[in-house]
């Protein structure tokens, strides 16, 4: 249109028949004419510099940052990360050594002084490697943490996020309050350290999906967390063969940094799936409904909290609502949705006959069950005898449970009769559903001091898993002795 109607050009593709030659398509003619028009314009010198030609003879810079030693870094994983970096000491003149000054990251808490400080999880990158490499780590304020007895504790470490070891060079000074550890002849440029081997939400989802694929259990969502994450439950009820089955409720990680509970849940689910696969199914699954809640507090876990949910509620101090107690430490307003979902679920099944709430103690080097429920007003001699029966069975089945030895596994003191704190889950459930064998099981972060040198280094994942399996076996063994409710 800008150049007028172009004339028809001779078809470059001549016809060999009697038919007339076809004219060239208009677009071809237009392009040809446009090219001719522009070629006739006067030439002007360009004021713009010509583009540089690619150089193929450039010398590589082997001293660049990507190819030379770089300063070490500290980062927090997106799921469960928590640390404060004060300083990192490293020099390119002495690249084989690095020192890290760290502090515990505070988490909001609605009780006490307003914060908890205990859980840590971080990744150290760009680390020196090879013979003579030395890494020194210090948590400067460990002595002022919420639970300040770090004696005997060894830091957990992984290089592949699968296999965890304990750093036996860990030491704690009561005088300075510093927790320190070092690594010599480091073999990998990135390491992750944590208070206990981590268990991600991704791994939890994998557990749930794999369990449901077996068709041996049902999947239920009991509610949502403060951050709108689903609160999952696995319900094993497909083999029930009695009209009035017992109800077994096992829940984990009210306190999100008590991660051993998730590894314990792996063992629980594995044993229940095995029981369900036998022919005939185990007595536990023919006479009881088993409900497993893998994670009561997913928000706190992702945020790297030890004991609280997204807004600072200590969920294991929010159970007074089972008894109309609205004012209690750690209670949110409105009430914590995670606990509300658990209470609703328990009430829908008429209350549990066995309730296990799985926790982890920061200072005691053994596995034990809290005596708190023995102090509720409704506790009876029959319930005490049932509890002791369960203890005896589990002690026989699992070497880590209340292992006898130089450290007496006494656990927490028993409350005075009728004086148990009904804001605590196991006490609240025991009182709300009289006759229920309601228990808080505590695992160590440190290790089993009565189990030998290896066990004393720190409680391991495989111990958590085995304890979960053996606990389900113990529940099955005491099932005939449960109190009718």
């Amino acid at each position: 249109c800008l150049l007028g109607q172009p004339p028809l050009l001779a078809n470059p593709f001549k016809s060999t028949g009697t038919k007339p030659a076809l004219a060239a398509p208009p677009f071809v003619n237009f392009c040809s004419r446009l090219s001719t028009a522009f070629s006739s314009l006067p030439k002007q010198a360009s004021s713009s510099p010509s583009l540089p030609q690619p150089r193929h003879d450039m010398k590589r810079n082997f001293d660049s940052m990507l190819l030379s030693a770089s300063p070490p870094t500290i980062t927090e994983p997106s799921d469960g990360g928590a640390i404060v970096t004060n300083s990192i000491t490293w020099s390119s003149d002495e690249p084989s050594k690095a020192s890290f000054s760290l502090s515990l990251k505070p988490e909001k808490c609605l009780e006490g002084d307003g914060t908890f400080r205990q859980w840590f999880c971080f990744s150290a990158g760009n680390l020196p490697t090879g013979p003579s490499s030395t890494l020194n780590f210090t948590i400067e304020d460990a002595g002022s943490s919420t639970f300040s007895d770090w004696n005997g504790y060894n830091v957990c470490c992984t290089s592949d996020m699968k296999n965890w070891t304990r750093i036996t060079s860990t030491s704690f000074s009561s005088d300075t309050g510093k927790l320190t550890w070092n690594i010599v002849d480091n073999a990998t440029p990135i390491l992750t350290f944590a208070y206990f081997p981590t268990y991600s939400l991704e791994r939890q989802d994998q557990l749930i999906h794999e369990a449901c694929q077996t068709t041996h259990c049902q999947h239920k969502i009991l509610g949502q967390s403060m951050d709108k994450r689903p609160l999952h439950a696995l319900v094993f009820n497909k083999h029930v063969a009695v009209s009035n089955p017992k109800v077994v409720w096992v829940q984990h990680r009210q306190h999100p940094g008590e991660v051993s509970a998730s590894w314990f849940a792996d063992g629980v689910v594995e044993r229940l799936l095995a029981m369900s696969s036998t022919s005939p199914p185990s007595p536990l699954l023919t006479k009881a409904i088993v409900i497993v809640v893998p994670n009561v507090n997913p928000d706190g876990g992702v945020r790297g909290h030890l004991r609280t949910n997204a807004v600072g509620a200590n969920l294991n101090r929010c159970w007074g609502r089972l008894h109309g107690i609205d004012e209690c430490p750690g209670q949110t307003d409105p009430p914590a949705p995670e606990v509300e979902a658990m209470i609703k679920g328990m009430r829908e099944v008429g209350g549990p006959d066995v309730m296990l709430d799985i926790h982890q103690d920061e200072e005691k080097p053994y596995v034990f069950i809290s005596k708190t429920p023995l102090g509720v007003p409704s506790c009876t001699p029959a319930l005490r005898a049932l509890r002791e029966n369960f203890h005896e069975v589990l002690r026989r089945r699992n070497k880590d449970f209340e292992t006898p030895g130089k450290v007496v596994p006494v656990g927490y003191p028993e409350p005075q009769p009728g004086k148990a704190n009904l804001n605590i889950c196991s006490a609240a459930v025991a009182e709300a559903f009289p006759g229920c064998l309601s228990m808080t099981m505590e695992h160590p972060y440190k290790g089993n001091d009565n189990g030998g040198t290896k066990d004393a280094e720190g409680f391991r994942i495989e111990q958590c898993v085995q304890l979960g399996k053996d606990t389900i076996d113990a529940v099955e063994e005491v099932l005939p002795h449960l109190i009718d409710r």
Side-chain angles (χ1 to χ4, degrees):
C1 296
L2 290 175
L3 301 176
Q5 178 65 37
L8 293 176
L9 302 179
N11 186 4
F13 306 102
K14 288 187 177 181
S15 172
T16 57
T18 58
K19 292 184 180 180
L22 295 175
F27 180 72
V28 173
N29 292 327
F30 172 77
C31 291
S32 175
R33 189 62 178 267
L34 187 64
S35 174
T36 302
F38 275 104
S39 66
S40 65
L41 293 175
K43 307 294 183 184
Q44 294 184 358
S46 174
S47 60
S48 301
S50 60
L51 293 174
Q53 296 299 311
R55 290 184 58 185
H56 300 290
D57 60 344
M58 293 180 67
K59 184 178 180 181
R60 289 188 175 130
N61 180 11
F62 287 103
D63 294 326
S64 69
M65 182 183 71
L66 288 176
L67 300 175
S68 62
S70 300
T73 63
I74 295 290
T75 57
E76 297 175 274
S78 58
D79 188 343
I83 200 67
V84 175
T85 304
N86 302 320
S87 65
I88 300 174
T89 303
W90 176 87
S91 171
S92 58
D93 295 331
E94 198 174 12
S96 63
K97 297 181 180 180
S99 296
F100 304 81
S101 172
L102 310 166
S103 294
L104 297 170
K105 190 172 186 177
E107 65 182 87
K108 179 182 178 181
C109 178
L110 299 177
E111 59 181 327
D113 62 2
T115 59
F116 281 127
R117 286 183 302 112
Q118 195 84 25
W119 171 264
F120 64 88
C121 175
F122 63 91
S123 295
N126 288 345
L127 297 175
T129 58
S132 78
S133 60
T134 304
L135 310 176
N136 297 302
F137 297 86
T138 301
I139 295 181
E140 308 285 352
D141 59 347
S144 58
S145 61
T146 304
F147 303 97
S148 59
D149 181 6
W150 296 80
N151 290 297
Y153 169 78
N154 291 315
V155 170
C156 304
C157 176
T158 181
S159 60
D160 60 7
M161 299 307 295
K162 295 177 182 178
N163 302 291
W164 290 81
T165 59
R166 294 282 183 152
I167 306 298
T168 55
S169 65
T170 305
S171 65
F172 174 67
S173 170
S174 300
D175 295 331
T176 65
K178 295 181 179 183
L179 183 75
T180 62
W181 66 97
N182 62 77
I183 297 175
V184 178
D185 299 334
N186 178 42
T188 179
I190 183 169
L191 294 168
T192 295
F193 301 94
Y195 191 30
F196 198 79
T198 59
Y199 192 107
S200 67
L201 277 187
E202 181 181 4
R203 184 181 177 91
Q204 174 192 294
D205 289 343
Q206 181 180 353
L207 171 71
I208 293 167
H209 282 76
E210 290 179 353
C212 291
Q213 282 182 343
T214 67
T215 71
H216 292 306
C217 63
Q218 297 186 64
H219 172 245
K220 300 293 181 181
I221 293 180
L222 302 177
Q224 289 185 324
S225 68
M226 189 68 73
D227 284 343
K228 307 303 180 184
R229 291 186 172 92
L231 302 173
H232 301 280
L234 296 174
V235 182
F236 292 80
N237 66 340
K238 293 192 172 183
H239 299 293
V240 172
V242 296
S243 58
N244 188 26
K246 300 294 185 182
V247 175
V248 178
W249 184 288
V250 189
Q251 64 181 33
H252 310 78
R253 288 185 76 177
Q254 279 205 87
H255 291 159
E258 297 173 4
V259 187
S260 67
S262 284
W263 298 109
F264 178 95
D266 273 10
V268 167
V269 172
E270 184 178 338
R271 177 65 88 225
L272 289 171
L273 290 175
M275 286 178 165
S276 187
S277 302
T278 60
S279 182
S282 75
L284 176 63
L285 296 183
T286 58
K287 298 178 181 179
I289 298 169
V290 183
I291 301 168
V292 180
V293 182
N295 193 342
V296 180
N297 192 351
D299 298 349
V302 170
R303 291 166 180 258
H305 290 183
L306 175 75
R307 290 170 73 83
T308 64
N309 72 353
V311 296
N314 178 352
L315 299 186
N316 201 30
R317 299 298 183 272
C318 295
W319 286 77
R321 288 179 58 80
L322 262 174
H323 306 281
I325 303 173
D326 292 324
E327 298 295 330
C328 61
Q331 180 65 68
T332 55
D333 186 17
E338 299 90 347
V339 174
E340 292 296 290
M342 299 304 112
I343 291 174
K344 181 175 181 290
M346 288 183 184
R347 284 175 169 162
E348 285 183 358
V349 295
D353 297 278
V354 177
M355 197 288 297
L356 275 161
D357 189 24
I358 310 303
H359 286 259
Q360 197 167 8
D361 185 274
E362 293 77 9
E363 298 178 329
K364 293 177 171 50
Y366 47 81
V367 181
F368 66 99
I369 289 177
S370 168
K371 303 181 184 71
T372 299
L374 297 178
V376 302
S378 64
C379 185
T380 63
L383 193 56
R384 282 179 174 273
L386 175 61
R387 180 183 184 275
E388 185 52 40
N389 184 14
F390 180 83
H391 277 238
E392 290 176 0
V393 170
L394 189 53
R395 276 193 292 263
R396 171 167 40 84
R397 288 182 171 275
N398 187 274
K399 68 180 183 64
D400 291 313
F401 180 66
E402 296 183 345
T403 310
K406 61 180 181 180
V407 179
V408 181
V410 294
Y412 306 140
E414 180 179 332
Q416 293 295 315
K419 300 297 183 181
N421 185 352
L422 296 184
N423 293 314
I424 295 174
C425 174
S426 59
V429 171
E431 184 64 13
F433 308 107
C436 172
L437 179 59
S438 182
M439 298 175 285
T440 301
M441 178 182 285
E442 299 277 358
H443 306 162
Y445 285 92
K446 295 179 178 179
N448 182 356
D449 276 5
N450 295 336
T453 303
K454 182 66 176 176
D455 286 353
E457 289 180 0
F459 205 47
R460 301 186 303 278
I461 291 174
E462 57 267 30
Q463 290 173 286
C464 301
V465 174
Q466 188 60 49
L467 182 60
K469 295 177 182 179
D470 294 340
T471 298
I472 289 300
D473 289 339
V475 170
E476 181 177 63
E477 188 169 337
V478 302
L479 188 68
H481 308 291
L482 296 182
I483 297 171
D484 290 332
R485 298 179 45 250

